[in-house]
């Protein structure tokens, strides 16, 4: 949507009579309307019908006091009714255009009208050229863009240029801009150019402003302020539908470029003027041929005869054919002597004078020296060392023979050194003076620091300039900047108005230049192309193509109806259907593979206040209607003359080969001509009974199929069975179990684990899970010991149970047993003696307490019991004996 100031009739640049005023002025000139009780809604209803489609209800105005009020009410109501009818007609036309095949008729009318306008514009020109319009192609392109909707685009605001908007055309590139846009552009350009100037310099120079596209420069006084036609004769040209937009309709009469003295004969037009069509009598370039009449734009012509003019070398003539402008240099080669005449070489005739590399060497008039000049013409001249000569400091002059050198005068040199301030302090000398070595206090270039340095050395400080460059974004950042900061060297890089490219210019102030790129907008087939400014390709309307649509048909027809190239889906096919019906006739109605069908009820209304929405149209394939061709046997149409039902059971054998069709007599399609008449067809019922055939022996399951012909399939269900040892649950296919013999069943039911049963000996059975009782032959090895538990031996459990093996004690076992009994007897005797001693000690202590020997003492009597010899030495005796026993075992 465009900005309000760019819309027709609202901008400041409107220049047409009656439309150049602003909306505010129009409102001010209009008499005040009577206020309605409806407030804003009533105002909306009286302003062009915009409030008629709103949700608020317009209240009726109060009854006027007299005849003037009734007339105003009738006129406003009449205006409202007219606008309402126009809106309804526009909406109806929009719906019709949306579902119609194409808008070719409207396009043809518009093109016929456009062709008439162009023919009227080119009439005077073509009358001068005997109908030849080949030179008008460039001008025709500009005029086609003027007629094309959206093709003319303002590069400043990237908006379409409409017929009723004030415009301005550049005289360099002939690009068209909105008048208000180019005025703002010129103002901003002049401000950006003049803003870096000081107050003293402002206004002294007339800075130009450039065209946004071709950068053609215009003076400040050439800034457009009014809206003119293309030829500049008429101010505020009126809008005429039978003229080129923004044209006055008069003859252009602008001078041709390059100027020939004639003026343009076209009607006021956009773009450049075509070449001059006038006929003039003129001769060829070399003036040898007779004058002939030719077109003024092509009055320069060649007779193709040799030119014959004398060339600059003065020896040869121009051999080129008759041409415009000066003759080319002589291309021939000749032997020529150098300036001094010593050498000869072949050179171009156009450059006869040349110098060799030899020194002249002729004796000078002094007779002492020779000429040192390189190859020259004329006399050598006097000796450069003759006459009065100055000393090196040029204070004294001497008259000496040319063979003697001029001596130094002995005075100070006093030549100004390179610094331009101090003088050379040496005596008169030969050669250049030394550099200035005096120390002076110098100020840096930026003027912020001072320092004493040698005069010949420049002084630059390290301070970086903080001034903002002309782009008003980045700092200068140069060291010791004198204040004349250079332009910003960074790239702008901002996204242009086209939103596709970035600004390639250097960093600058203000808005970026428009994008110079153009984009091709193509039709659907790509053969018709228009060029639009970059950024407008998303909003521009594609061009109208006159090529026939090449898409394949979407219906069953081999070819589709001819129509022009377009976007979106092709229009509905209106060819006869011609499909073969079931009765053998062809369908005579129009093609209905993609018929438009209403689909109401998709949108649920929120309440009774919401108006019902219009039904949506969808494209869907419809079946062919019943055949209406009359049959010769009966008066009924073809689709009604069909076989009938006898109401009895069908009785045809179903596919299961076990049951028959129980439906009422019905039509059966014969899929094959050789098919038996008693066999069921696709219209017969399907058998839904379960299979009742006998199962294999041992299989407890039913057949998984419905009633079917032939044998039942193999049972693949799983059986849940416990193994022989009753600990694991196995899942076995029913088919495998029923077909296996005894050995295979034994292996299938086994869990392949060790049997958990215990043998009579107490050990676990070593066999894999098996049926029946476990074997009694235990192979488990056990340890057999002697009676004293010293000797041990590993023997099978079954041999021990049978009593075949026993282990007797040996002599060492008997000896150790005897020693152990002796030790036990000695320990028993020692214990008896120890008990007697303890009892004696307790008796004595009791007797002493009875006598009262220690009656007043509170401490306990400590009775020391003397240990026996066995208690003292029993550990020394027992430890070696236990060690020997352990070793023996």
């Amino acid at each position: 949507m465009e900005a309000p100031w760019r819309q027709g009739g609202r901008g400041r640049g409107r220049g047409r009579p009656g439309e150049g005023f602003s909306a505010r002025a129009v409102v001010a000139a209009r008499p005040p309307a009577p206020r309605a009780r409806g407030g804003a809604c009533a105002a909306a209803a009286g302003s062009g019908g915009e409030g008629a489609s709103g949700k608020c209800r317009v209240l009726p105005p109060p009854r006027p006091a007299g005849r003037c009020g009734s007339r105003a009410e009738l006129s406003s109501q009449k205006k409202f009714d007219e606008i309402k009818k126009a809106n309804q007609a526009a909406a109806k036309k929009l719906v019709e255009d949306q579902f119609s095949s194409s808008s070719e008729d409207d396009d043809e009318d518009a093109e016929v009208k456009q062709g008439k306008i162009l023919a009227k514009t080119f009439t005077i020109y073509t009358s001068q050229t005997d109908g030849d319009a080949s030179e008008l192609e460039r001008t025709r392109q500009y005029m086609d863009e003027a007629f094309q909707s959206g093709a003319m685009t303002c590069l400043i605001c990237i908006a379409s240029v409409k017929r009723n908007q004030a415009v301005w055309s550049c005289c360099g590139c002939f690009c068209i801009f909105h008048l208000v846009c180019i005025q703002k552009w010129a103002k901003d350009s002049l401000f950006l150019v003049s803003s870096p100037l000081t107050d003293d310099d402002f206004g002294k120079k007339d800075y130009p402003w450039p065209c946004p596209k071709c950068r053609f420069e215009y003076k400040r006084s050439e800034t457009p302020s009014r809206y003119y036609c293309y030829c500049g004769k008429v101010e505020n040209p009126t809008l005429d539908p039978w003229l080129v937009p923004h044209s006055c309709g008069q003859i252009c009469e602008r001078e041709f470029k390059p100027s020939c003295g004639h003026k343009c004969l076209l009607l006021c037009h956009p773009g450049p003027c075509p070449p001059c069509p006038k006929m003039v009598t003129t001769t060829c370039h070399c003036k040898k041929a007779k004058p002939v009449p030719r077109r003024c734009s092509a009055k320069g012509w060649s007779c193709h005869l040799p030119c014959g003019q004398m060339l600059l070398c003065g020896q040869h003539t121009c051999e080129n054919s008759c041409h415009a402008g000066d003759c080319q240099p002589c291309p021939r080669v000749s032997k020529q002597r150098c300036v001094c005449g010593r050498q000869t070489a072949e050179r171009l005739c156009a450059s006869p004078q040349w110098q060799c590399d030899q020194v002249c060497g002729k004796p000078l008039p002094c007779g002492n020296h020779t000429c040192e000049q390189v190859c020259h013409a004329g006399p050598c001249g006097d000796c450069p060392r003759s006459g009065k000569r100055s000393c090196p400091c040029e204070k004294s002059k001497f008259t000496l023979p040319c063979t003697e050198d001029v001596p130094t005068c002995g005075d100070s040199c006093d030549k100004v050194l390179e610094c331009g301030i101090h003088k050379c302090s040496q005596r008169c000398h030969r050669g250049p003076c030394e550099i200035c070595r005096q120390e002076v206090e110098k100020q840096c270039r930026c003027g912020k620091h001072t320092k004493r340095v040698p005069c010949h050395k420049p002084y630059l400080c390290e301070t970086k300039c903080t001034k903002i460059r002309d782009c008003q974004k980045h700092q200068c950042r140069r060291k010791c900047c004198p204040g004349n900061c250079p332009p910003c060297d960074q790239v702008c890089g901002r996204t242009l108005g086209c939103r596709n490219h970035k600004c390639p210019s250097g960093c600058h102030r203000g808005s970026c230049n428009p994008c110079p790129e153009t984009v091709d907008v193509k039709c659907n087939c790509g053969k018709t192309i228009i060029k639009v400014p970059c950024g407008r390709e998303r909003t521009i309307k594609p061009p109208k193509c006159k090529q026939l649509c090449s898409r394949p048909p979407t219906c069953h027809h081999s070819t589709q109806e001819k129509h022009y190239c377009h976007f979106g889906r092709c229009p509905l096919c209106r060819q006869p259907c011609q499909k073969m019906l079931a009765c053998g006739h062809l369908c005579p109605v129009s093609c209905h593979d993609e018929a438009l069908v209403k689909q109401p009820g998709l949108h649920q209304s929120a309440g009774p206040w919401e108006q019902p929405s219009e039904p949506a149209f969808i494209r869907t394939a419809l079946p062919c209607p019943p055949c209406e061709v009359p049959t010769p046997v009966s008066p009924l149409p073809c689709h009604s003359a069909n076989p009938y039902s006898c109401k009895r059971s069908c009785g045809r054998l179903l596919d299961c080969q076990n049951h028959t069709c129980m439906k009422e007599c019905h039509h059966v399609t014969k899929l094959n001509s050789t098919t038996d008449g008693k066999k069921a067809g696709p219209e017969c019922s399907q058998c839904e009974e379960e299979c009742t055939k006998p199962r294999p022996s041992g299989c407890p399951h039913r057949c998984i199929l419905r009633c079917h012909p032939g044998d039942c399939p193999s049972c693949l269900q799983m059986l849940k069975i416990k193994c022989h040892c009753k600990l694991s649950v196995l899942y076995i296919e029913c088919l495998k179990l029923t077909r296996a013999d005894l050995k295979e069943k034994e292996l299938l039911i086994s869990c392949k684990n060790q049997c958990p049963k215990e043998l009579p000996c107490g050990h676990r059975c070593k066999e894999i899970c098996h049926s029946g009782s476990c074997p009694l032959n235990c192979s488990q090895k056990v340890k057999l010991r002697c009676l004293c538990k010293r000797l041990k031996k590993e023997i099978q459990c079954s041999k021990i149970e049978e009593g075949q093996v026993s282990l007797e004690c040996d002599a060492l076992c008997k000896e150790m047993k005897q020693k152990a009994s002796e030790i036990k007897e000695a320990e028993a005797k020692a214990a008896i003696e120890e008990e007697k001693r303890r009892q004696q000690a307790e008796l004595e202590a009791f007797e002493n307490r009875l006598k009262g020997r220690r009656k007043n003492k509170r401490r306990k009597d400590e009775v020391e019991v003397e240990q026996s010899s066995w208690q003292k030495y029993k550990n020394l005796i027992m430890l070696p004996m236990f060690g020997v026993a352990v070793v023996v075992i």
Side-chain angles (χ1 to χ4, degrees), residues 111-121 242:
E111 289 185 359
V112 170
K113 181 179 178 181
Q114 179 179 341
K116 291 181 179 179
I117 297 175
L118 291 179
K120 182 180 178 182
T121 305
W242 287 98

Side-chain angles (χ1 to χ4, degrees), residues 156 168-170 177 181-191 193 206-212 215-225:
I156 300 176
W168 175 83
S169 176
C170 175
F177 307 91
C181 293
I182 198 64
Q183 289 174 346
K184 186 176 183 299
W185 175 272
K187 182 179 179 181
D188 294 345
S189 300
L190 293 173
F191 173 76
V193 172
D206 188 10
Y207 289 95
W209 56 272
C211 170
R215 317 307 294 175
F216 185 82
E217 293 185 349
Y218 294 89
K219 297 180 181 179
R220 182 192 296 268
S221 58
E222 295 176 347
T223 303
S225 59

Side-chain angles (χ1 to χ4, degrees), residues 7-54:
Q7 296 177 357
R10 297 184 186 180
R12 292 178 295 169
R14 298 297 143 252
R16 294 193 309 272
E19 297 185 6
F21 302 102
S22 63
R24 195 174 298 173
V26 174
V27 173
R30 191 179 298 167
R35 294 178 58 86
R37 281 189 292 172
C41 298
S47 59
E50 295 180 359
S53 60

Side-chain angles (χ1 to χ4, degrees), residues 145 155 213 498 500-501 515-521 530-537:
E145 291 182 357
L155 296 181
K213 182 178 181 181
C498 63
N500 297 328
H501 304 94
C515 182
E517 302 293 333
T518 58
V519 181
D520 292 342
V521 178
I530 60 172
K531 291 184 177 294
V532 297
C534 182
R536 287 284 296 168
E537 67 273 8

Side-chain angles (χ1 to χ4, degrees), residues 17 183 270 280 313 329 443 563 587 616 840 859:
Q183 289 174 346
V280 295
C313 64
Q443 192 176 26
H563 58 279
C587 180
Q840 184 65 28
R859 65 182 180 178

Side-chain angles (χ1 to χ4, degrees), residues 816-832 870 878 881-882:
M816 290 181 64
K817 187 175 181 181
Q818 186 178 358
K819 287 182 180 182
S821 62
E822 290 177 357
I823 291 173
K824 285 184 179 180
E825 289 178 0
E827 287 180 352
K829 290 180 182 180
I832 293 171
W870 167 251
M878 294 297 295
M881 293 179 67
F882 282 117

